[in-house]
Every structure is written in structure tokens, then in C-alpha cells.
Amino acid sequence: MNYGAILATLLVLTVIGFYLGRGRARAAAGAPTRLHSLPGYYGAHVAIWMALPAFALFLFWISFQSAIVEGMVWNGLPDRVAVLGEAKPKNALPAAQKQLLINNIRNYASGDIVSGEITDLVKQGAAAYRRLEVLSSWIMAAAMALLAAIGLLVTYRSISPAMRARNRVERVLLLLLMVASTIAILTTVGIVLSLLFEALAFFTKVSPVDFLFGLEWSPQTAIRADQVGASGAFGAIPVFTGTLLITVIAMIVAVPVGLFAAIYLSEYASRRVRATVKPVLEVLAGIPTVVYGFFAALTVAPLIRDAGAAIGLTVASESALAAGLIMGIMIIPFVSSLSDDIIIAVPQALRDGSYGLGATRSETVRQVVLPAALPGIVGAVLLGVSRAIGETMIVVMAAGLSARLTVNPFDAVTTVTVQIVTNLTGDPEFDSPKTLSAFALGLVLLLVTLCLNVIALRVVQKYREKYD
């Protein structure tokens, strides 16, 4: 029995428990008595105590099932196992060979690729692994069903008109909300700490001053000692410059087009036009970034190169201009949709007051609506900036990988995210400066986006009360 079927069965049982609890509450509400809560709360109380203990058991079980099954399979193998063509005592195997054998057994049992020859030992272990895994799933399903039945029996019998079902349900929901928020906070803390620890390891090998203010980026290690950058050059200024250049080009495209589109849709367009144009515009946000990258590399970049050659300019096959233009098109829906919602939210009384004073529609938009919506528009623009800074695929396909210190939009450049991907691919040592530099770049990128978000929040807080 797979996990999906188990969870689907639990969901069905929970729904049945809800209707049973609600029905008993309605039956208990006779003429002389009144229920403390609505019948739905009694059903929800039953459903919660059927689902929560069983689901908690499910999470606990799947967390330890693999380790327990692997241990039982290992204990069931012969005392001497054949590894690398030689029979050795099972308990004398090195940890690496033991783990390799267990991995092969698990992969063969699940139909994945096995490293090396498929021996009889692997087949025997895989058969035992499948058998134990199926048995474990059935035991888990039976235990979950038992817990759900106990929860149904206890809560069903406790239903009475005086029972404060609403209070109990709301306390459980409040606890779930607190757990969800705690998980989100801990996840954020974990991300920051993982970046911070690895970045500090990088800064023990490379000076932070050289990293933040160096003018040459060449993280690879040279083969010969007399080559340039034999120990690697980790000056990140060219990478930051390329990121800033492409972001500026993207926002030059996205901000005017997105803002003007939002103004038209919210203030000038008819309902029919708005109902048609707004969804079509938002389709751009659903296009995968790799499709934008293909369009930039195959259409826009050659077009810019040929146009530049026609007027005597030297344009690289992969340029910051091509990547920035397509990235700007990709960000248009973010700016336009958020700005449109913000402009629509401006109180109609402000518009009516402006019209009453004799202002035209364009004057009302310029002098009343846009100032009132300015905090939200700034937030939408900064969100677009964060989106542009974090983009990778378009840059890889349209701007190249060259870490070049230039502000010429016709040159090939690279960005922080591209270098993070580049330095983490391949087969480098994890503790090498090349690999650790990706975490340092990620930490800087995180701090930059955090500063942008803080600025957006401060702008919103500073100007919001003027128009509430």
C-alpha cells in the first residue's frame, strides 16, 4: 500500500467522522436544549481528533521506517558477504562498503540504477527489503486506522449540547497556525545560518576585502602555477556590476510599461477591455523562464547583434541588453498586476473630490491617484527588482558567463545567480574556495534583497496613513 492511498483513506475517514459528529450534534439539540456551538464545529472536532493523531503517526513512521527496514535487511544477510569479488565478514566491512551495499539493495528493490554488478546477495536483500517495506506499510495503515477509530469513538461519545466545540476547534487551529509560523521562521533561520557558516568558511580562505572590492573574478584553479589566477581570483565587483546592469535594463523596460498598463486598466479601460487584457497580460507571469531564455537567445540576441552591425556597433552574440530586455518583459506582469490592484484600492472619494474641484481625469490620476498609491507602487517596483536580481536562466542563455567589469549593454556579462550555479555544478571539492564562493555570493544576494524589502516596508509605513 503506497502512501497516497493511505492518506486518501485517512481523508475519507475524516470526512465521514465530520458528518457523523455533526449529525449527532443535531440529534442532541432537542427542543428544551440548545447547542453551545454550531453543529459544524462538533463535526470539525471529531474530524480533527481522527486526523491529527493518525497523521502524526504517519509522519513519525515514515521518518524512521527506512532506517529500521535497512537495519533488519542488514541483519538478515549472511555473516560473510561478497564485496568486490571477495567474501568478507559482514561486521568487518568498512562503513563506505556497507553503505554502498545497502544503497544497491534499496535501489534494486525500487527499480533504480545499481552501482556495479547485481549479485545474488543484492537480489536477496532487495526481496527482503520489498517484503519488509510492504509489511511496514500495512502495519502503519492499521495503526493509523486504529488511532482514527479511537479518536472517533472518544469524541463522538463526548458530544453534548453543553460541549464548547467551537472553543476546542479554535484552540487546535490556533496551535496549527503557530506551528506553521514557527516552521516558516525556523526555515528562514536555517537558510540564513547555512549560508552564513559556509560563507565564513570561504572568508577564512579569501579576504572579505578582496571579495567585495576585487576587480577580477576567476574562481577556477589553474593547472600550472605560472597561469593567471593560479590560486583563483575572487573579486566580485564584475559579478555585482553585471547583475546591476541587467537589472537596470530590465526595470527600464518593466516599470514604465507595467505602470502605464496598470493606469490604463484601472482608470481608462472599460470593463470588457479590462476583463480581456488583464488576464492576457498576466499570462506572461506563467511562462517558464527557460522559454524566455530560448526567445532571448534565438530571436532577440541575434536581432540586436544584426541591428548593431548595421549601424556600425560591435554587439556580442550574448549581451546584457538582450537579457535585460527579455527579463523586463517577464517582470511586466509583476509590476502591472500589483500596481493595478493598488490603484484600484485608492478610495473613490478621493477621485470624486478631485472631479468636484474641476480636475480632469488625467489631472486626477497624476495629482491624486498616483500619490495615494505611491507606497504600493514602490513596493511593486522593488519586488520586480528582487525578481530581476534572482533570475538565472535568462542570463545563462542570453548574457553568457563572462565576468567582465563593464557597463556597456552590448557586452556579455554574468550575474550573481549564474555564478552560484556555475560554481556548484561539476565535481569540485566542497571545501574548495570555488565551491564556497557560491555561498558568499548567496549571502550578499540575500542581504541585498533583504535591504530592498526593508526599504519597501519603510516606504509603505511612512506614506500609508496619509490616505487611509
Side-chain angles (χ1 to χ4, degrees), residues 240 385-386 389 442-453:
F240 297 148
V385 172
S386 300
I389 291 175
L443 181 62
V444 174
L445 189 64
L446 177 66
L447 293 176
V448 170
T449 53
L450 178 63
C451 291
L452 291 176
N453 292 334

Side-chain angles (χ1 to χ4, degrees), residues 216 218-233:
E216 183 181 356
S218 181
Q220 71 277 3
T221 302
I223 299 176
R224 301 192 313 272
D226 58 342
Q227 285 181 304
V228 176
S231 59

Side-chain angles (χ1 to χ4, degrees), residues 181-426:
S181 61
T182 303
I183 292 175
I185 293 172
L186 293 179
T187 302
T188 304
V189 173
I191 292 173
V192 173
L193 292 179
S194 64
L195 286 176
L196 183 61
F197 289 149
E198 302 301 336
L200 292 177
F202 170 75
F203 289 132
T204 60
K205 303 175 183 292
V206 177
S207 171
V209 176
D210 295 338
F211 173 75
L212 294 175
F213 302 103
L215 302 180
E216 183 181 356
W217 178 263
S218 181
Q220 71 277 3
T221 302
I223 299 176
R224 301 192 313 272
D226 58 342
Q227 285 181 304
V228 176
S231 59
F234 295 94
I237 290 294
V239 180
F240 297 148
T241 303
T243 303
L244 181 62
L245 177 61
I246 293 179
T247 301
V248 168
I249 296 173
M251 300 315 295
I252 289 175
V253 175
V255 172
V257 176
L259 184 56
F260 291 160
I263 293 173
Y264 170 73
L265 291 175
S266 59
E267 298 295 326
Y268 294 95
S270 63
R271 293 197 175 193
R272 178 177 298 178
V273 173
R274 175 182 172 83
T276 303
V277 174
K278 187 174 175 63
V280 172
L281 186 62
E282 292 180 347
V283 167
L284 292 174
I287 298 177
T289 56
V290 67
V291 176
Y292 282 111
F294 278 127
F295 180 64
L298 300 179
T299 303
V300 177
L303 184 63
I304 294 176
R305 182 190 60 210
D306 296 341
I311 59 176
L313 296 176
T314 301
V315 182
S317 299
E318 297 173 326
S319 63
L321 181 59
L325 289 176
I326 299 303
M327 195 182 298
I329 294 174
M330 180 192 69
I331 296 172
I332 286 174
F334 292 91
V335 178
S336 65
S337 181
L338 291 174
S339 299
D340 175 64
D341 295 338
I342 292 160
I343 292 173
I344 287 292
V346 173
Q348 184 62 33
L350 294 178
R351 297 180 177 86
D352 295 340
S354 177
Y355 294 147
L357 292 174
T360 63
R361 177 177 292 186
S362 61
E363 290 173 340
T364 300
V365 171
R366 292 196 313 270
Q367 300 179 13
V368 176
V369 175
L370 288 183
L374 180 62
I377 293 174
V378 172
V381 171
L382 292 179
L383 178 63
V385 172
S386 300
R387 183 70 178 84
I389 291 175
E391 178 53 40
T392 303
M393 286 304 302
I394 295 176
V395 181
V396 170
M397 302 178 72
L401 302 174
S402 301
R404 186 175 302 171
L405 182 57
T406 179
V407 292
N408 185 357
F410 300 124
D411 288 338
V413 296
T414 190
T415 62
V416 172
T417 54
V418 172
Q419 289 302 311
I420 291 174
V421 173
T422 303
N423 293 346
L424 290 178
T425 54

Side-chain angles (χ1 to χ4, degrees), residues 8-18 20 47 50 144-145 148-149 152:
T9 304
L10 178 62
L11 178 61
V12 172
L13 293 176
T14 302
V15 173
I16 293 173
F18 171 81
L20 288 176
M50 287 182 65
M144 291 174 62
L152 173 62

